[in-house]
Amino acid sequence: MTASIQRPSIYEQEHEDFRQSVRTFLEKEVVPHHHQWEKDGQVSREVWQRAGAAGLLCFDVDEEYGGAGVRDFRYNTVVAEEMARVGASGPGFPVHSDIIVPYISSLGTPEQKRRWLPGLVSGELISAIAMTEPGAGSDLQGIRTSAVFEPGRDCYVLNGSKTFISNGILSDVVIVVCRTDPDAGHKGISLLVVERGMKGFERGRNLEKVGMKAQDTAELFFDDVEVPKENLLGEEGSGFISLMMNLPQERISIAAMAVAAIEQVLDLSLAYAKERQAFGRPIGSFQHNRFVLAEMATNAHVARVFVNDCILKLNAGEVDTTLAAMAKWWTTELQKQVVDAGVQLHGGYGYMLEYPIAKAFTDSRIQTIYGGTTEIQKEIIGRSLGI
Ligand SMILES: Cc1cc2nc3c(=O)[nH]c(=O)nc-3n(C[C@H](O)[C@H](O)[C@H](O)COP(=O)(O)OP(=O)(O)OC[C@H]3O[C@@H](n4cnc5c(N)ncnc54)[C@H](O)[C@@H]3O)c2cc1C
């Protein structure tokens, strides 16, 4: 008996049409190169430009700045789902479109938008956001990168270092979270846009990771970088609040990727359990394995319903910090459990990187760490409960 998995959907025909074009793009422009990019530790710049030309980046940017002006996060999640389906963890499109560019769209002046948005939409410019430092990750208020305004030169002088920055090597436009007032607590944090080629801005190592090997994750160094005051994003001192306002979308984006990965793992595991024989039977016919797959399918369904609801709420402007924290920690912890069970079902082959399940395993490990760890999400939820 063949059976197909029915997935609760929030997509309409236009999203499914878009999905087809994303799928065609990935099969032609990403899948054939991914293995080489994993060896290189980064994707090519060309794939960014091709993604831009194919209309896959930053749909929400207004038409006057080169975007499609479509504010419907379902298009973003279609891209995330299709990338997960083929294990394309290299191109940092989601972090660019869902997380970083929205800061420029929402906080930028018209002049800043004219300068950066068209290139970010076309893929000519690649973005990064630099919050984490060697000494401060979860505790964002502990950052030490400083920017001192020099009225004589009409610029900020930026000093410090960042680490673990996604798109760190390829990026042309980096939103740097820095301290503009050492004595003002969270009100002393600002966002400065640092551009490729600015004197004193250097990249360090492209860090060697457990998974996501085709995505560049790098150290950045700022040594007396003169950043023009025109590159201040939002008001001075409002950086922390801006980050808090944008983090829910980042977390829903990560949750959407988690659910897409869970569904991919279910598909891979089910296919393998039907095909692989042991003791003269398909391994999926052993009751234990059937139960593992039944649990996986149930978890995938529940997670999908939850995240679908979050995506619709995000579209309606109804996602608060607490809901985003719930979606982020719960789906990513579930992803780790499901992918681990998928590896077990694959036996020794599950440990071989040539099998997509093994790549899903190494790629998944970071999900509960970046974008705010599981523990930090639970702190946020705990606070909302008044404890
Ligand atoms: C592949 C990758 C990509 C990344 N991309 C980016 C990026 O693009 N930009 C960027 O700025 N950063 C990025 N990061 C950094 C990431 O966001 C941080 O690693 C993460 O926020 C955790 O910070 P940390 O590593 O300093 O851990 P720490 O903050 O030192 O935490 C260590 C452990 O202590 C726990 N902990 C800390 N505080 C508490 C608390 N109050 N209660 C309970 N437990 C606590 C944490 O949950 C964790 O388990 C990336 C990281 C990786 C690995």
Side-chain angles (χ1 to χ4, degrees):
M1 190 183 80
T2 54
S4 65
I5 299 169
Q6 295 297 317
R7 296 202 159 121
S9 174
I10 47 171
Y11 297 116
E12 290 162 30
Q13 191 54 46
E14 55 264 35
H15 302 101
E16 295 305 338
D17 294 343
F18 177 66
R19 183 186 301 282
Q20 266 320 315
S21 62
V22 177
R23 206 169 271 192
T24 306
F25 176 86
L26 293 174
E27 270 155 22
K28 183 160 171 263
E29 304 289 354
V30 172
V31 173
H33 307 289
H34 212 272
H35 190 59
Q36 183 58 45
W37 292 337
E38 282 165 28
K39 289 188 185 156
D40 298 344
Q42 64 183 67
V43 305
S44 67
R45 288 193 77 85
E46 292 72 47
V47 76
W48 280 88
Q49 288 155 17
R50 292 197 179 123
L56 303 196
L57 304 176
C58 315
F59 333 100
D60 60 330
V61 166
D62 288 339
E63 284 174 270
E64 62 175 309
Y65 303 115
V70 176
R71 288 193 184 78
D72 178 351
F73 204 69
R74 288 177 291 180
Y75 287 99
N76 304 54
T77 53
V78 164
V79 175
E81 283 168 22
E82 290 305 307
M83 289 180 73
R85 200 180 63 82
V86 293
S89 56
F93 302 155
V95 74
H96 177 81
S97 297
D98 304 358
I99 297 170
I100 305 165
V101 177
Y103 282 96
I104 297 181
S105 299
S106 62
L107 301 171
T109 62
E111 195 273 330
Q112 289 175 329
K113 292 183 191 180
R114 270 195 297 279
R115 264 168 76 198
W116 295 313
L117 288 177
L120 292 163
V121 173
S122 70
E124 295 292 324
L125 295 180
I126 299 170
S127 64
I129 186 156
M131 302 181 234
T132 308
E133 300 185 355
S138 304
D139 179 14
L140 198 55
Q141 292 195 43
I143 60 159
R144 299 172 77 164
T145 296
S146 71
V148 178
F149 189 65
E150 297 270 347
R153 289 186 276 172
D154 224 15
C155 68
Y156 289 89
V157 178
L158 182 70
N159 278 289
S161 64
K162 298 285 179 181
T163 193
F164 304 151
I165 306 308
S166 303
N167 297 339
I169 297 291
L170 287 170
S171 55
D172 306 288
V173 169
V174 185
I175 301 175
V176 178
V177 181
C178 56
R179 195 160 268 297
T180 39
D181 184 339
D183 305 316
H186 77 266
K187 292 190 177 147
I189 290 179
S190 303
L191 307 179
L192 283 183
V193 178
V194 173
E195 295 170 87
R196 176 179 287 280
M198 282 184 172
K199 196 160 165 286
F201 169 33
E202 300 289 343
R203 297 166 211 249
R205 290 174 299 158
N206 187 3
L207 298 160
E208 211 176 324
K209 304 190 291 299
V210 169
M212 295 181 70
K213 288 183 180 289
Q215 191 166 130
D216 50 319
T217 307
E219 300 167 321
L220 306 179
F221 299 105
F222 309 98
D223 182 13
D224 282 337
V225 182
E226 292 188 9
V227 184
K229 79 167 190 312
E230 292 75 27
N231 285 28
L232 174 70
L233 197 56
E235 300 283 311
E236 187 179 302
S238 67
F240 191 78
I241 303 292
S242 302
L243 291 166
M244 293 307 116
M245 285 174 70
N246 278 269
L247 280 174
Q249 174 154 318
E250 168 167 358
R251 291 175 178 156
I252 299 298
S253 169
I254 294 172
M257 285 188 252
V259 175
I262 289 169
E263 290 172 347
Q264 184 223 17
V265 168
L266 172 60
D267 291 345
L268 291 171
S269 305
L270 197 53
Y272 191 78
K274 286 179 180 172
E275 172 209 307
R276 176 75 176 171
Q277 302 270 327
F279 301 94
R281 295 157 59 179
I283 58 159
S285 69
F286 298 115
Q287 189 190 49
H288 171 81
N289 294 340
R290 218 168 44 240
F291 281 15
V292 167
L293 287 159
E295 285 175 20
M296 236 185 228
T298 310
N299 280 325
H301 187 95
V302 174
R304 170 54 70 192
V305 171
F306 177 28
V307 166
N308 280 353
D309 182 58
C310 290
I311 294 166
L312 293 180
K313 284 203 164 78
L314 189 69
N315 272 350
E318 292 167 3
V319 170
D320 62 12
T321 321
T322 308
L323 182 64
M326 288 176 177
K328 203 273 171 181
W329 87 258
W330 187 76
T331 56
T332 56
E333 291 290 341
L334 183 66
Q335 179 186 355
K336 281 198 314 195
Q337 276 173 37
V338 168
V339 76
D340 191 62
V343 169
Q344 190 69 19
L345 265 176
H346 278 72
Y349 297 96
Y351 203 61
M352 298 299 130
L353 277 175
E354 64 194 273
Y355 278 72
I357 190 73
K359 202 160 111 37
F361 179 70
T362 55
D363 284 350
S364 69
R365 189 59 190 89
I366 185 56
Q367 285 272 86
T368 57
I369 298 173
Y370 61 14
T373 63
T374 292
E375 294 73 26
I376 295 299
Q377 306 314 299
K378 290 182 182 173
E379 279 295 325
I380 292 168
I381 300 162
R383 275 201 295 275
S384 79
L385 301 173
I387 47 173

